[in-house]
Amino acid sequence: MSAVSADATSPKPRISLTEAFRRYGTFFIFVLLVVVASWQSPAFLTERNIMNVLRQVSGTGIMAVGMLFVILTRGIDLSVGSVAALGSVLSALFIARWAPGAALPLVVLAGAACGAVTGFLVAYVRLQAFVMTLAMMTMARGLALIISKGQPQMVGDAGSVLTAFGAGYVFGVPMPVILMLVIFGIAGIVLGFTRFGRLVKAIGSNEEAVRLSGIAVPRYVMAVYIISGALAAVAGIISTSRSGVGSATVGVGAELDVIAAVVIGGASLMGGRGGVFNTFLGVLVLGVIGNIMNLANVPGYHQQVFMGVIIVIAMLLQNGTAWLRR
């Protein structure tokens, strides 16, 4: 009886401030930015502006899903922007020759092939991910320039289905946004409820322990780079669908935005920690920051400086309480 009483009266463990920020810091940052944006401009919370923000971040969001998988394994993928450019060019060229049902899967396959090359050299040859993905970044961009001959590739009438997708809506939501949300949903299921997702996180937390348990670690590491490459190609397709042009200049610097979104979402560059929902919030944080500056008519070059400063502030809010505790 006394044991029961003791259990009933024992205080429940409280979540520390550090733990609360680690879990919900991205959400707090997002809410704060929404409040600031609403105060700064009454146009921010209009349906048109919200859908515009979501449409603009759809490509970044899709690439961020692939980057999350890579970062969870303690890797990095600097090639996503260039693979997106390759996907943009190939989607314009392929759709002019074949039906969309054949052309677009080939584009995704090309992105997956880039990821497979990177993943094989990182996982099996043990090259450093930073160096290997940097090499793929230059190779993919170079291929996009060679294939397009440095010229924008117009989609034309043959790509009307693709451009209709980029400009289309379903129940008032842009179709690229719906695709992004579906990909985030699938990723959430994979990471939360499948053996593959659990092992990806475990590899980032303790690769040696996973290896000693008999798991073929290189196979999973290679798989996450394939996922990242394929999703980067999808982002390139979305860019072409929105503009009607396949361009080798798509995605310049996108890898930095994608990594920033994942890290702002609470993922650790040391691997093993990160989630789909927080990554989605990290993407929205970047989108809201850009939108605030556009609504405030901040010049383009100044935006880059402010974006960097705000990202640093966001990261300090994420990790500052832990630093103070040390």
Side-chain angles (χ1 to χ4, degrees):
M1 183 71 178
S2 59
V4 174
S5 302
D7 290 341
T9 58
S10 60
K12 296 181 180 180
R14 296 179 179 179
I15 299 177
S16 66
L17 184 61
T18 302
E19 180 66 16
F21 264 96
R22 190 184 73 80
R23 291 186 183 181
Y24 310 114
T26 309
F27 178 74
F28 295 149
I29 293 166
F30 174 67
V31 171
L32 176 62
L33 285 172
V34 169
V35 171
V36 170
S38 304
W39 171 79
Q40 190 272 332
S41 173
F44 175 78
L45 286 179
T46 61
E47 180 181 354
R48 179 178 179 181
N49 186 64
I50 291 171
M51 291 304 162
N52 182 50
V53 171
L54 290 173
R55 187 196 294 274
Q56 288 177 345
V57 302
S58 57
T60 301
I62 290 171
M63 287 188 283
V65 172
M67 186 67 74
L68 174 63
F69 276 87
V70 173
I71 286 178
L72 283 173
T73 63
R74 202 176 294 189
I76 199 77
D77 189 353
L78 301 178
S79 68
V80 290
S82 296
V83 174
L86 182 61
S88 177
V89 169
L90 290 180
S91 61
L93 292 175
F94 287 178
I95 208 164
R97 291 165 173 77
W98 301 297
L104 299 185
L106 286 175
V107 176
V108 177
L109 187 62
C114 292
V117 172
T118 300
F120 176 81
L121 293 173
V122 170
Y124 290 95
V125 185
R126 306 295 290 177
L127 296 182
Q128 288 190 355
F130 182 90
V131 176
M132 186 55 232
T133 57
L134 186 63
M136 181 55 71
M137 179 177 74
T138 59
M139 288 190 290
R141 182 77 62 183
L143 282 173
L145 289 166
I146 291 169
I147 293 170
S148 66
K149 299 179 182 178
Q151 300 296 321
Q153 302 298 306
M154 304 299 295
V155 170
D157 294 338
S160 58
V161 173
L162 183 60
T163 54
F165 171 84
Y169 290 80
V170 175
F171 300 114
V173 181
M175 294 182 72
V177 175
I178 293 174
L179 178 60
M180 175 186 69
L181 294 176
V182 168
I183 290 173
F184 267 104
I186 294 172
I189 293 171
V190 170
L191 285 177
F193 302 100
T194 68
R195 182 174 184 267
F196 177 84
R198 290 191 294 271
L199 286 174
V200 164
K201 291 183 178 180
I203 289 169
S205 298
N206 194 331
E207 180 178 334
E208 188 61 25
V210 176
R211 193 187 310 277
L212 291 174
S213 67
I215 304 298
V217 171
R219 184 185 305 169
Y220 289 88
V221 173
M222 183 174 175
V224 298
Y225 284 96
I226 293 174
I227 292 170
S228 182
L231 292 180
V234 172
I237 293 172
I238 287 180
S239 174
T240 301
S241 73
R242 291 179 57 196
S243 64
V245 177
S247 174
T249 62
V250 164
V252 175
E255 56 279 347
L256 302 181
D257 290 339
V258 172
I259 294 170
V262 176
V263 174
I264 288 173
S268 170
L269 291 175
M270 298 305 293
R273 193 185 79 200
V276 171
F277 180 70
N278 275 353
T279 297
F280 178 63
L281 288 178
V283 171
L284 293 183
V285 165
L286 291 184
V288 171
I289 291 172
N291 190 245
I292 290 173
M293 290 189 288
N294 287 332
L295 292 174
N297 296 316
V298 177
Y301 294 131
H302 296 68
Q303 286 193 18
Q304 298 180 30
V305 177
F306 286 123
M307 179 73 81
V309 171
I310 294 171
I311 289 173
V312 170
I313 293 172
M315 293 307 301
L316 288 174
L317 288 174
Q318 283 272 24
N319 302 300
T321 53
W323 178 78
L324 290 172
R325 193 175 183 181
R326 290 196 295 268

